[in-house]
Every structure is written in C-alpha cells, then in structure tokens.
C-alpha cells in the first residue's frame, strides 16, 4: 500500500498568493481528514470528509480556507489569499471508521 | 467543546529511565488512540484502547484506559534513544452522527544517551 500521498512536500510562497495542497488517501478508506500542525496550537483538525462529503468544517480558520473532495481518491485544501500566519505543516490523513488514522508525510508551508 | 489535555508538555530523561505521559478528557470517550511522531515526521498510530480499564502492552510500552474512560496513560520502561519523539493521545467521542478524533497537544520526549 502506497499510504496517504501529499503534495507538495514543501512550499514557500509570498503573502497573498494562492496555495493548493493535494492529497490522495489510501484506497478503500472512507474518511479523509485535513490537519494543521504548529508549535503553538499543536495538531488541529481543519475539516473531514466521509464518502467525499464534508462532515465537519468547524476547524477551518476562516473563509480564506476551502477544501474539496471531488472523488474518493483526491482532495485539495486551498488557501486564498495566503498569510504568514498560515505557515504550518498540513497533514492529510485517511481511515476506515473506528480504525487507525493514517497520516501522509505532510506539506510544509511557509508564507513570507 | 470537547478537549483532550495531555501532560507533561515536555519530558527529558536519561536513557534507561522510565517515562509516562497522561491524557485527560473533559468528556467520556468511546475509545482512545495513541500516536508517535518522530522529529520532522508524521504521526504514526501506536494503539487503540476501547474498554474501560483496558491495559495493553507493546514491548516496553504500556497503555492504560481509565475506568471512567476519561483518562489514559502511556508508560515507557527503560527508555532508549529510539523513543525520542512526540507522543499524542487522541480521543473519540461516543458514537454519534459524526466521527471525530480530537488530539491532545502531545508530550515531547527527549532521551539523553
């Protein structure tokens, strides 16, 4: 199994630019999660999907953040416009309900 | 909202010493999971506890789930340098219409060889 695949692994962008993070979950998993990790706030759940449908987006910081899951094998997290305070590691993860959550290796975002 | 608190935030030990991290929830949990994240890495699943009072062992690691299903602990016996990393607990609320895992802020363990 290839695991959860995220891209890009690293991104440095200027404030105001649009950032798109991509995720391919593990085949057959019906839950997909987007987390953000910073030193100050730890691991924060931003949004999660079940069978491609967004279930809980209460963790999305503000309207600048949006996430989509057009099909079972692909999801995006978009930040527009980006700000320096968005700098963090963004993890995508997938699971079958009640079972292990498998994390991708993360997308390290720096907004300057 | 539901919170999962973890202590201590940091722990530095000499190699060979024991280590324990504690996790407490403001609400009763359906089950609890533990993850380890190596520096620069991503969280990796260690174990899941489901039953009240459950105790599970993985080599030098012992995991406990409290009787009230509101607290949990991870104990490492005779730490090694390979144990370095951040240990997270993550709680799952009782079955509802949503499935949501809430992570504690983690305990960063460093081991002095």
């Amino acid at each position: 199994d290839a695991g959860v695949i995220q891209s890009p692994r690293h991104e440095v962008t200027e404030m105001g630019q649009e950032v798109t993070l991509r995720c391919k979950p593990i085949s057959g998993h019906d839950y997909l999660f987007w987390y953000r990790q910073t030193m100050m706030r730890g691991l924060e759940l931003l949004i999660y999907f079940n069978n491609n449908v967004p279930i809980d987006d209460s963790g999305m910081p503000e309207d600048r953040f949006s996430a989509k899951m057009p099909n079972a094998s692909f999801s995006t997290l978009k930040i527009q416009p980006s700000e320096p305070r968005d700098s963090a590691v963004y993890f995508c993860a997938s699971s079958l309900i009640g079972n292990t959550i498998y994390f991708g290796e993360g997308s390290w975002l720096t907004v300057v | 909202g539901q919170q999962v608190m973890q202590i201590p935030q940091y722990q530095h030990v000499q190699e060979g010493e024991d280590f324990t991290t504690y996790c407490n929830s403001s609400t009763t949990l359906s089950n609890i999971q533990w993850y380890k994240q190596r520096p620069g890495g991503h969280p990796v699943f260690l174990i899941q506890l489901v039953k009240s009072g459950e105790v599970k062992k993985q080599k030098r690691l012992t995991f406990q789930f409290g009787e009230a299903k509101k607290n949990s602990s991870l104990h490492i016996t005779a730490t090694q340098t390979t144990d370095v990393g951040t240990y997270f607990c993550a709680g799952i609320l009782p079955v509802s219409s949503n499935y949501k895992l809430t992570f504690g802020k983690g305990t960063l363990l460093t081991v002095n060889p």
Side-chain angles (χ1 to χ4, degrees):
Chain A
D1 198 324
V4 176
I5 299 173
Q6 290 186 246
S7 65
R9 290 295 315 281
H10 300 272
E11 177 148 350
V12 180
T13 191
E14 290 186 345
M15 182 173 64
Q17 296 297 306
E18 178 179 291
V19 174
T20 299
L21 307 179
R22 298 173 176 80
C23 176
K24 177 177 167 39
I26 292 173
S27 177
H29 282 188
D30 55 356
Y31 280 81
L32 183 139
F33 307 85
W34 282 101
Y35 286 90
R36 177 173 68 177
Q37 186 175 41
T38 60
M39 288 294 292
M40 290 297 294
R41 301 172 72 92
L43 261 174
E44 300 175 276
L45 177 63
L46 300 178
I47 185 171
Y48 74 96
F49 297 82
N50 176 219
N51 292 322
N52 314 338
V53 175
I55 301 301
D56 185 345
D57 65 354
S58 59
M60 295 287 263
E62 49 198 271
D63 292 344
R64 297 185 298 105
F65 285 69
S66 63
K68 293 182 180 179
M69 191 166 186
N71 57 62
S73 58
F74 184 66
S75 177
T76 59
L77 177 67
K78 189 172 291 187
I79 308 172
Q80 168 63 23
S82 58
E83 297 181 3
R85 60 192 167 121
D86 301 331
S87 299
V89 183
Y90 291 82
F91 287 106
C92 177
S94 70
S95 78
L96 287 172
I97 184 171
N99 292 322
T100 305
I101 290 184
Y102 292 87
F103 284 80
E105 294 188 340
S107 292
W108 296 66
L109 174 66
T110 302
V111 183
V112 298
Chain B
Q2 186 224 11
Q3 286 193 348
V4 174
M5 311 298 290
Q6 221 178 319
I7 55 170
Q9 192 175 0
Y10 307 99
Q11 183 78 60
H12 178 74
V13 300
Q14 287 292 128
E15 189 172 22
E17 292 181 340
D18 292 356
F19 160 78
T20 305
T21 174
Y22 300 91
C23 184
N24 292 287
S25 169
S26 56
T27 58
T28 302
L29 299 169
S30 173
N31 50 25
I32 196 160
Q33 298 179 358
W34 284 91
Y35 291 77
K36 177 184 177 181
Q37 183 177 20
R38 293 183 187 276
H42 58 280
V44 175
F45 175 81
L46 293 177
I47 208 160
Q48 175 169 271
L49 304 172
V50 179
K51 299 176 184 176
S52 169
E54 188 170 12
V55 178
K56 286 188 176 180
K57 292 190 176 185
Q58 288 180 351
K59 297 183 180 178
R60 294 177 296 103
L61 278 60
T62 302
F63 304 85
Q64 290 187 318
F65 201 9
E67 294 291 340
K69 300 184 74 172
K70 284 189 172 182
N71 58 74
S72 181
S73 65
L74 158 59
H75 179 82
I76 302 179
T77 303
T79 54
Q80 301 175 358
T81 54
T82 53
D83 296 326
V84 165
T86 301
Y87 292 85
F88 294 96
C89 64
I92 301 175
L93 288 172
V95 175
S96 66
S97 59
N98 291 335
Y99 164 65
K100 190 169 181 177
L101 196 66
T102 302
F103 280 80
K105 283 195 162 41
T107 296
L108 172 61
L109 172 64
T110 55
V111 180
N112 198 28

mmCIF file of all heavy atoms in Angstrom, chain A residues 1 3-6 23-35 48-49 69 72-73 75 91-97 99-104, chain B residues 33 35 45 99 101:
data_model
loop_
_atom_site.group_PDB
_atom_site.id
_atom_site.type_symbol
_atom_site.label_atom_id
_atom_site.label_comp_id
_atom_site.label_asym_id
_atom_site.label_seq_id
_atom_site.Cartn_x
_atom_site.Cartn_y
_atom_site.Cartn_z
ATOM 1 N N ASP A 1 0.838 -1.187 0.000
ATOM 2 C CA ASP A 1 0.000 0.000 0.000
ATOM 3 C C ASP A 1 0.875 1.239 0.000
ATOM 4 O O ASP A 1 1.815 1.343 0.777
ATOM 5 C CB ASP A 1 -0.883 -0.007 1.249
ATOM 6 C CG ASP A 1 -2.074 0.933 1.094
ATOM 7 O OD1 ASP A 1 -1.894 1.986 0.467
ATOM 8 O OD2 ASP A 1 -3.159 0.591 1.562
ATOM 9 N N GLY A 3 0.171 4.229 0.949
ATOM 10 C CA GLY A 3 -0.051 5.170 2.019
ATOM 11 C C GLY A 3 -0.734 6.418 1.511
ATOM 12 O O GLY A 3 -1.073 6.544 0.325
ATOM 13 N N VAL A 4 -0.905 7.375 2.402
ATOM 14 C CA VAL A 4 -1.502 8.656 2.037
ATOM 15 C C VAL A 4 -0.435 9.503 1.350
ATOM 16 O O VAL A 4 0.667 9.659 1.885
ATOM 17 C CB VAL A 4 -2.044 9.387 3.281
ATOM 18 C CG1 VAL A 4 -2.580 10.762 2.900
ATOM 19 C CG2 VAL A 4 -3.121 8.546 3.968
ATOM 20 N N ILE A 5 -0.761 10.011 0.199
ATOM 21 C CA ILE A 5 0.224 10.768 -0.572
ATOM 22 C C ILE A 5 -0.170 12.237 -0.622
ATOM 23 O O ILE A 5 -1.299 12.573 -1.020
ATOM 24 C CB ILE A 5 0.333 10.203 -2.003
ATOM 25 C CG1 ILE A 5 0.793 8.742 -1.939
ATOM 26 C CG2 ILE A 5 1.318 11.025 -2.837
ATOM 27 C CD1 ILE A 5 0.771 8.029 -3.267
ATOM 28 N N GLN A 6 0.753 13.069 -0.228
ATOM 29 C CA GLN A 6 0.505 14.507 -0.227
ATOM 30 C C GLN A 6 1.498 15.215 -1.139
ATOM 31 O O GLN A 6 2.645 14.809 -1.271
ATOM 32 C CB GLN A 6 0.649 15.091 1.184
ATOM 33 C CG GLN A 6 -0.437 14.683 2.144
ATOM 34 C CD GLN A 6 -0.316 15.417 3.462
ATOM 35 O OE1 GLN A 6 -0.046 14.808 4.499
ATOM 36 N NE2 GLN A 6 -0.528 16.734 3.430
ATOM 37 N N CYS A 23 -4.014 15.802 -1.855
ATOM 38 C CA CYS A 23 -3.950 14.575 -1.072
ATOM 39 C C CYS A 23 -4.621 13.432 -1.797
ATOM 40 O O CYS A 23 -5.727 13.581 -2.339
ATOM 41 C CB CYS A 23 -4.633 14.785 0.281
ATOM 42 S SG CYS A 23 -4.720 13.296 1.309
ATOM 43 N N LYS A 24 -3.948 12.294 -1.772
ATOM 44 C CA LYS A 24 -4.541 11.047 -2.266
ATOM 45 C C LYS A 24 -4.632 10.104 -1.082
ATOM 46 O O LYS A 24 -3.603 9.663 -0.551
ATOM 47 C CB LYS A 24 -3.686 10.444 -3.369
ATOM 48 C CG LYS A 24 -4.171 9.119 -3.901
ATOM 49 C CD LYS A 24 -3.288 8.654 -5.053
ATOM 50 C CE LYS A 24 -3.506 7.204 -5.456
ATOM 51 N NZ LYS A 24 -4.884 6.742 -5.431
ATOM 52 N N PRO A 25 -5.845 9.771 -0.642
ATOM 53 C CA PRO A 25 -5.967 8.884 0.521
ATOM 54 C C PRO A 25 -5.662 7.442 0.157
ATOM 55 O O PRO A 25 -5.515 7.097 -1.023
ATOM 56 C CB PRO A 25 -7.440 9.047 0.915
ATOM 57 C CG PRO A 25 -8.136 9.359 -0.367
ATOM 58 C CD PRO A 25 -7.153 10.176 -1.163
ATOM 59 N N ILE A 26 -5.594 6.611 1.171
ATOM 60 C CA ILE A 26 -5.402 5.188 0.947
ATOM 61 C C ILE A 26 -6.665 4.617 0.299
ATOM 62 O O ILE A 26 -7.790 4.918 0.734
ATOM 63 C CB ILE A 26 -5.090 4.471 2.268
ATOM 64 C CG1 ILE A 26 -3.711 4.912 2.777
ATOM 65 C CG2 ILE A 26 -5.123 2.956 2.092
ATOM 66 C CD1 ILE A 26 -3.363 4.391 4.162
ATOM 67 N N SER A 27 -6.471 3.818 -0.718
ATOM 68 C CA SER A 27 -7.598 3.250 -1.454
ATOM 69 C C SER A 27 -8.505 2.448 -0.520
ATOM 70 O O SER A 27 -8.027 1.633 0.278
ATOM 71 C CB SER A 27 -7.062 2.340 -2.567
ATOM 72 O OG SER A 27 -8.118 1.719 -3.246
ATOM 73 N N GLY A 28 -9.802 2.727 -0.622
ATOM 74 C CA GLY A 28 -10.767 1.995 0.195
ATOM 75 C C GLY A 28 -11.146 2.700 1.486
ATOM 76 O O GLY A 28 -12.148 2.346 2.114
ATOM 77 N N HIS A 29 -10.354 3.678 1.902
ATOM 78 C CA HIS A 29 -10.697 4.425 3.104
ATOM 79 C C HIS A 29 -11.848 5.380 2.808
ATOM 80 O O HIS A 29 -11.901 6.013 1.760
ATOM 81 C CB HIS A 29 -9.488 5.202 3.609
ATOM 82 C CG HIS A 29 -8.504 4.355 4.331
ATOM 83 N ND1 HIS A 29 -7.415 4.884 5.010
ATOM 84 C CD2 HIS A 29 -8.445 3.020 4.511
ATOM 85 C CE1 HIS A 29 -6.736 3.897 5.571
ATOM 86 N NE2 HIS A 29 -7.331 2.771 5.272
ATOM 87 N N ASP A 30 -12.772 5.485 3.788
ATOM 88 C CA ASP A 30 -13.941 6.312 3.553
ATOM 89 C C ASP A 30 -13.931 7.628 4.317
ATOM 90 O O ASP A 30 -14.859 8.425 4.193
ATOM 91 C CB ASP A 30 -15.222 5.530 3.859
ATOM 92 C CG ASP A 30 -15.245 4.939 5.252
ATOM 93 O OD1 ASP A 30 -14.233 5.064 5.986
ATOM 94 O OD2 ASP A 30 -16.264 4.333 5.621
ATOM 95 N N TYR A 31 -12.896 7.829 5.130
ATOM 96 C CA TYR A 31 -12.752 9.100 5.830
ATOM 97 C C TYR A 31 -11.459 9.773 5.403
ATOM 98 O O TYR A 31 -10.412 9.121 5.282
ATOM 99 C CB TYR A 31 -12.726 8.903 7.345
ATOM 100 C CG TYR A 31 -14.095 8.732 7.958
ATOM 101 C CD1 TYR A 31 -14.738 7.500 7.928
ATOM 102 C CD2 TYR A 31 -14.745 9.809 8.549
ATOM 103 C CE1 TYR A 31 -15.998 7.353 8.474
ATOM 104 C CE2 TYR A 31 -16.010 9.664 9.109
ATOM 105 C CZ TYR A 31 -16.631 8.433 9.064
ATOM 106 O OH TYR A 31 -17.883 8.290 9.601
ATOM 107 N N LEU A 32 -11.542 11.083 5.209
ATOM 108 C CA LEU A 32 -10.351 11.862 4.894
ATOM 109 C C LEU A 32 -10.332 13.092 5.789
ATOM 110 O O LEU A 32 -11.364 13.756 5.971
ATOM 111 C CB LEU A 32 -10.332 12.276 3.420
ATOM 112 C CG LEU A 32 -9.066 13.046 2.990
ATOM 113 C CD1 LEU A 32 -8.594 12.574 1.613
ATOM 114 C CD2 LEU A 32 -9.261 14.549 3.019
ATOM 115 N N PHE A 33 -9.159 13.359 6.352
ATOM 116 C CA PHE A 33 -9.001 14.453 7.316
ATOM 117 C C PHE A 33 -7.899 15.399 6.836
ATOM 118 O O PHE A 33 -6.898 14.967 6.274
ATOM 119 C CB PHE A 33 -8.581 13.909 8.688
ATOM 120 C CG PHE A 33 -9.460 12.829 9.228
ATOM 121 C CD1 PHE A 33 -9.265 11.503 8.862
ATOM 122 C CD2 PHE A 33 -10.471 13.129 10.127
ATOM 123 C CE1 PHE A 33 -10.061 10.496 9.370
ATOM 124 C CE2 PHE A 33 -11.271 12.126 10.647
ATOM 125 C CZ PHE A 33 -11.074 10.812 10.269
ATOM 126 N N TRP A 34 -8.103 16.663 7.121
ATOM 127 C CA TRP A 34 -7.038 17.655 6.961
ATOM 128 C C TRP A 34 -6.717 18.225 8.339
ATOM 129 O O TRP A 34 -7.603 18.729 9.039
ATOM 130 C CB TRP A 34 -7.457 18.787 6.024
ATOM 131 C CG TRP A 34 -7.404 18.450 4.573
ATOM 132 C CD1 TRP A 34 -8.444 18.113 3.748
ATOM 133 C CD2 TRP A 34 -6.226 18.441 3.737
ATOM 134 N NE1 TRP A 34 -7.999 17.891 2.468
ATOM 135 C CE2 TRP A 34 -6.639 18.086 2.431
ATOM 136 C CE3 TRP A 34 -4.873 18.695 3.958
ATOM 137 C CZ2 TRP A 34 -5.752 17.977 1.357
ATOM 138 C CZ3 TRP A 34 -3.993 18.584 2.897
ATOM 139 C CH2 TRP A 34 -4.429 18.234 1.623
ATOM 140 N N TYR A 35 -5.433 18.135 8.720
ATOM 141 C CA TYR A 35 -4.955 18.677 9.979
ATOM 142 C C TYR A 35 -3.899 19.738 9.696
ATOM 143 O O TYR A 35 -3.189 19.692 8.702
ATOM 144 C CB TYR A 35 -4.294 17.592 10.840
ATOM 145 C CG TYR A 35 -5.254 16.618 11.485
ATOM 146 C CD1 TYR A 35 -5.632 15.450 10.836
ATOM 147 C CD2 TYR A 35 -5.740 16.843 12.765
ATOM 148 C CE1 TYR A 35 -6.484 14.542 11.443
ATOM 149 C CE2 TYR A 35 -6.598 15.941 13.383
ATOM 150 C CZ TYR A 35 -6.967 14.791 12.705
ATOM 151 O OH TYR A 35 -7.814 13.904 13.314
ATOM 152 N N TYR A 48 -13.100 17.317 7.900
ATOM 153 C CA TYR A 48 -13.014 15.934 7.474
ATOM 154 C C TYR A 48 -14.212 15.554 6.604
ATOM 155 O O TYR A 48 -15.282 16.154 6.685
ATOM 156 C CB TYR A 48 -12.829 14.971 8.645
ATOM 157 C CG TYR A 48 -14.008 14.696 9.533
ATOM 158 C CD1 TYR A 48 -14.817 13.571 9.320
ATOM 159 C CD2 TYR A 48 -14.280 15.500 10.629
ATOM 160 C CE1 TYR A 48 -15.875 13.289 10.166
ATOM 161 C CE2 TYR A 48 -15.339 15.218 11.479
ATOM 162 C CZ TYR A 48 -16.126 14.107 11.252
ATOM 163 O OH TYR A 48 -17.165 13.831 12.094
ATOM 164 N N PHE A 49 -13.986 14.581 5.781
ATOM 165 C CA PHE A 49 -14.967 14.099 4.813
ATOM 166 C C PHE A 49 -15.289 12.634 5.115
ATOM 167 O O PHE A 49 -14.424 11.868 5.553
ATOM 168 C CB PHE A 49 -14.397 14.165 3.384
ATOM 169 C CG PHE A 49 -14.074 15.545 2.894
ATOM 170 C CD1 PHE A 49 -12.878 16.164 3.232
ATOM 171 C CD2 PHE A 49 -14.955 16.228 2.065
ATOM 172 C CE1 PHE A 49 -12.563 17.431 2.769
ATOM 173 C CE2 PHE A 49 -14.650 17.496 1.588
ATOM 174 C CZ PHE A 49 -13.456 18.098 1.942
ATOM 175 N N MET A 69 -13.372 17.526 -2.055
ATOM 176 C CA MET A 69 -13.056 16.114 -2.305
ATOM 177 C C MET A 69 -13.940 15.673 -3.470
ATOM 178 O O MET A 69 -15.037 15.137 -3.255
ATOM 179 C CB MET A 69 -13.291 15.257 -1.070
ATOM 180 C CG MET A 69 -12.728 13.871 -1.219
ATOM 181 S SD MET A 69 -12.632 13.004 0.353
ATOM 182 C CE MET A 69 -11.764 11.520 -0.161
ATOM 183 N N ALA A 72 -13.273 9.833 -4.511
ATOM 184 C CA ALA A 72 -12.750 9.066 -3.376
ATOM 185 C C ALA A 72 -11.229 9.021 -3.318
ATOM 186 O O ALA A 72 -10.661 8.605 -2.308
ATOM 187 C CB ALA A 72 -13.301 7.648 -3.428
ATOM 188 N N SER A 73 -10.569 9.442 -4.373
ATOM 189 C CA SER A 73 -9.116 9.304 -4.392
ATOM 190 C C SER A 73 -8.378 10.634 -4.451
ATOM 191 O O SER A 73 -7.173 10.675 -4.695
ATOM 192 C CB SER A 73 -8.698 8.441 -5.583
ATOM 193 O OG SER A 73 -9.150 9.008 -6.788
ATOM 194 N N SER A 75 -8.258 14.895 -2.815
ATOM 195 C CA SER A 75 -8.785 16.028 -2.072
ATOM 196 C C SER A 75 -7.799 17.188 -2.167
ATOM 197 O O SER A 75 -6.594 16.982 -2.336
ATOM 198 C CB SER A 75 -8.991 15.661 -0.597
ATOM 199 O OG SER A 75 -9.432 16.782 0.158
ATOM 200 N N PHE A 91 -1.265 18.243 7.340
ATOM 201 C CA PHE A 91 -1.324 16.792 7.157
ATOM 202 C C PHE A 91 -2.686 16.394 6.603
ATOM 203 O O PHE A 91 -3.724 16.862 7.069
ATOM 204 C CB PHE A 91 -1.135 16.069 8.493
ATOM 205 C CG PHE A 91 0.273 16.109 9.025
ATOM 206 C CD1 PHE A 91 0.597 16.925 10.090
ATOM 207 C CD2 PHE A 91 1.256 15.297 8.477
ATOM 208 C CE1 PHE A 91 1.891 16.962 10.592
ATOM 209 C CE2 PHE A 91 2.551 15.325 8.976
ATOM 210 C CZ PHE A 91 2.863 16.160 10.034
ATOM 211 N N CYS A 92 -2.639 15.506 5.656
ATOM 212 C CA CYS A 92 -3.836 14.815 5.213
ATOM 213 C C CYS A 92 -3.781 13.415 5.820
ATOM 214 O O CYS A 92 -2.689 12.839 5.982
ATOM 215 C CB CYS A 92 -3.864 14.742 3.690
ATOM 216 S SG CYS A 92 -5.252 13.823 3.012
ATOM 217 N N ALA A 93 -4.929 12.882 6.184
ATOM 218 C CA ALA A 93 -4.976 11.549 6.776
ATOM 219 C C ALA A 93 -6.237 10.849 6.309
ATOM 220 O O ALA A 93 -7.224 11.508 5.946
ATOM 221 C CB ALA A 93 -4.944 11.628 8.294
ATOM 222 N N SER A 94 -6.215 9.525 6.316
ATOM 223 C CA SER A 94 -7.417 8.787 5.937
ATOM 224 C C SER A 94 -7.598 7.596 6.857
ATOM 225 O O SER A 94 -6.656 7.150 7.523
ATOM 226 C CB SER A 94 -7.355 8.354 4.474
ATOM 227 O OG SER A 94 -6.387 7.341 4.266
ATOM 228 N N SER A 95 -8.822 7.097 6.894
ATOM 229 C CA SER A 95 -9.110 5.944 7.745
ATOM 230 C C SER A 95 -10.421 5.290 7.322
ATOM 231 O O SER A 95 -11.218 5.854 6.565
ATOM 232 C CB SER A 95 -9.222 6.364 9.215
ATOM 233 O OG SER A 95 -10.477 6.967 9.484
ATOM 234 N N LEU A 96 -10.619 4.086 7.877
ATOM 235 C CA LEU A 96 -11.930 3.457 7.890
ATOM 236 C C LEU A 96 -12.502 3.724 9.273
ATOM 237 O O LEU A 96 -11.774 3.672 10.256
ATOM 238 C CB LEU A 96 -11.821 1.955 7.656
ATOM 239 C CG LEU A 96 -11.479 1.514 6.236
ATOM 240 C CD1 LEU A 96 -11.203 0.008 6.210
ATOM 241 C CD2 LEU A 96 -12.609 1.855 5.291
ATOM 242 N N ILE A 97 -13.768 4.001 9.385
ATOM 243 C CA ILE A 97 -14.348 4.439 10.658
ATOM 244 C C ILE A 97 -13.952 3.514 11.788
ATOM 245 O O ILE A 97 -14.000 2.293 11.680
ATOM 246 C CB ILE A 97 -15.880 4.548 10.568
ATOM 247 C CG1 ILE A 97 -16.451 5.109 11.878
ATOM 248 C CG2 ILE A 97 -16.506 3.207 10.222
ATOM 249 C CD1 ILE A 97 -17.908 5.460 11.813
ATOM 250 N N ASN A 99 -11.155 2.915 13.006
ATOM 251 C CA ASN A 99 -9.843 2.277 12.883
ATOM 252 C C ASN A 99 -8.724 3.304 12.826
ATOM 253 O O ASN A 99 -8.928 4.500 12.961
ATOM 254 C CB ASN A 99 -9.822 1.376 11.654
ATOM 255 C CG ASN A 99 -10.725 0.173 11.818
ATOM 256 O OD1 ASN A 99 -10.815 -0.389 12.895
ATOM 257 N ND2 ASN A 99 -11.403 -0.191 10.755
ATOM 258 N N THR A 100 -7.540 2.808 12.604
ATOM 259 C CA THR A 100 -6.351 3.640 12.571
ATOM 260 C C THR A 100 -6.467 4.782 11.579
ATOM 261 O O THR A 100 -6.963 4.595 10.467
ATOM 262 C CB THR A 100 -5.146 2.781 12.168
ATOM 263 O OG1 THR A 100 -5.055 1.680 13.058
ATOM 264 C CG2 THR A 100 -3.860 3.582 12.189
ATOM 265 N N ILE A 101 -5.982 5.954 11.996
ATOM 266 C CA ILE A 101 -5.843 7.067 11.071
ATOM 267 C C ILE A 101 -4.431 7.036 10.521
ATOM 268 O O ILE A 101 -3.459 6.993 11.269
ATOM 269 C CB ILE A 101 -6.113 8.409 11.768
ATOM 270 C CG1 ILE A 101 -7.598 8.524 12.099
ATOM 271 C CG2 ILE A 101 -5.676 9.576 10.885
ATOM 272 C CD1 ILE A 101 -7.997 9.844 12.694
ATOM 273 N N TYR A 102 -4.320 7.028 9.210
ATOM 274 C CA TYR A 102 -3.018 7.014 8.547
ATOM 275 C C TYR A 102 -2.728 8.412 8.022
ATOM 276 O O TYR A 102 -3.502 8.948 7.234
ATOM 277 C CB TYR A 102 -3.003 6.019 7.392
ATOM 278 C CG TYR A 102 -3.090 4.576 7.848
ATOM 279 C CD1 TYR A 102 -4.337 3.981 8.053
ATOM 280 C CD2 TYR A 102 -1.952 3.823 8.065
ATOM 281 C CE1 TYR A 102 -4.429 2.667 8.477
ATOM 282 C CE2 TYR A 102 -2.036 2.501 8.485
ATOM 283 C CZ TYR A 102 -3.275 1.932 8.697
ATOM 284 O OH TYR A 102 -3.359 0.630 9.118
ATOM 285 N N PHE A 103 -1.600 8.951 8.469
ATOM 286 C CA PHE A 103 -1.215 10.290 8.059
ATOM 287 C C PHE A 103 -0.289 10.247 6.862
ATOM 288 O O PHE A 103 0.553 9.348 6.731
ATOM 289 C CB PHE A 103 -0.493 11.014 9.197
ATOM 290 C CG PHE A 103 -1.392 11.500 10.296
ATOM 291 C CD1 PHE A 103 -1.846 10.630 11.281
ATOM 292 C CD2 PHE A 103 -1.774 12.826 10.358
ATOM 293 C CE1 PHE A 103 -2.675 11.073 12.302
ATOM 294 C CE2 PHE A 103 -2.598 13.287 11.376
ATOM 295 C CZ PHE A 103 -3.052 12.410 12.348
ATOM 296 N N GLY A 104 -0.420 11.266 6.005
ATOM 297 C CA GLY A 104 0.582 11.491 4.986
ATOM 298 C C GLY A 104 1.812 12.129 5.616
ATOM 299 O O GLY A 104 1.831 12.426 6.816
ATOM 300 N N GLN B 33 -6.837 6.614 21.115
ATOM 301 C CA GLN B 33 -5.711 6.137 20.327
ATOM 302 C C GLN B 33 -4.451 6.891 20.743
ATOM 303 O O GLN B 33 -4.516 8.019 21.234
ATOM 304 C CB GLN B 33 -5.987 6.361 18.829
ATOM 305 C CG GLN B 33 -7.198 5.603 18.317
ATOM 306 C CD GLN B 33 -7.458 5.851 16.840
ATOM 307 O OE1 GLN B 33 -6.764 6.609 16.172
ATOM 308 N NE2 GLN B 33 -8.467 5.159 16.293
ATOM 309 N N TYR B 35 -0.510 7.953 19.293
ATOM 310 C CA TYR B 35 0.334 8.118 18.116
ATOM 311 C C TYR B 35 1.713 8.604 18.550
ATOM 312 O O TYR B 35 1.859 9.288 19.574
ATOM 313 C CB TYR B 35 -0.270 9.154 17.147
ATOM 314 C CG TYR B 35 -1.539 8.706 16.481
ATOM 315 C CD1 TYR B 35 -2.753 8.711 17.165
ATOM 316 C CD2 TYR B 35 -1.535 8.259 15.165
ATOM 317 C CE1 TYR B 35 -3.921 8.285 16.559
ATOM 318 C CE2 TYR B 35 -2.695 7.843 14.543
ATOM 319 C CZ TYR B 35 -3.885 7.856 15.248
ATOM 320 O OH TYR B 35 -5.037 7.425 14.643
ATOM 321 N N PHE B 45 0.348 5.712 14.083
ATOM 322 C CA PHE B 45 -0.524 5.019 15.035
ATOM 323 C C PHE B 45 0.260 4.002 15.857
ATOM 324 O O PHE B 45 1.072 3.235 15.328
ATOM 325 C CB PHE B 45 -1.632 4.319 14.259
ATOM 326 C CG PHE B 45 -2.545 3.468 15.082
ATOM 327 C CD1 PHE B 45 -3.586 4.041 15.790
ATOM 328 C CD2 PHE B 45 -2.381 2.100 15.128
ATOM 329 C CE1 PHE B 45 -4.459 3.248 16.536
ATOM 330 C CE2 PHE B 45 -3.238 1.296 15.868
ATOM 331 C CZ PHE B 45 -4.284 1.872 16.571
ATOM 332 N N TYR B 99 -18.051 11.305 13.315
ATOM 333 C CA TYR B 99 -16.888 10.582 13.811
ATOM 334 C C TYR B 99 -15.759 11.581 13.862
ATOM 335 O O TYR B 99 -15.344 12.103 12.847
ATOM 336 C CB TYR B 99 -16.563 9.447 12.843
ATOM 337 C CG TYR B 99 -15.189 8.856 13.018
ATOM 338 C CD1 TYR B 99 -14.834 8.177 14.172
ATOM 339 C CD2 TYR B 99 -14.258 8.976 12.007
ATOM 340 C CE1 TYR B 99 -13.575 7.633 14.322
ATOM 341 C CE2 TYR B 99 -12.995 8.436 12.144
ATOM 342 C CZ TYR B 99 -12.665 7.764 13.302
ATOM 343 O OH TYR B 99 -11.412 7.223 13.438
ATOM 344 N N LEU B 101 -11.978 12.675 15.815
ATOM 345 C CA LEU B 101 -10.848 12.356 16.668
ATOM 346 C C LEU B 101 -10.235 13.665 17.133
ATOM 347 O O LEU B 101 -9.887 14.505 16.311
ATOM 348 C CB LEU B 101 -9.837 11.538 15.864
ATOM 349 C CG LEU B 101 -8.746 10.779 16.603
ATOM 350 C CD1 LEU B 101 -9.337 9.686 17.439
ATOM 351 C CD2 LEU B 101 -7.761 10.218 15.603
#
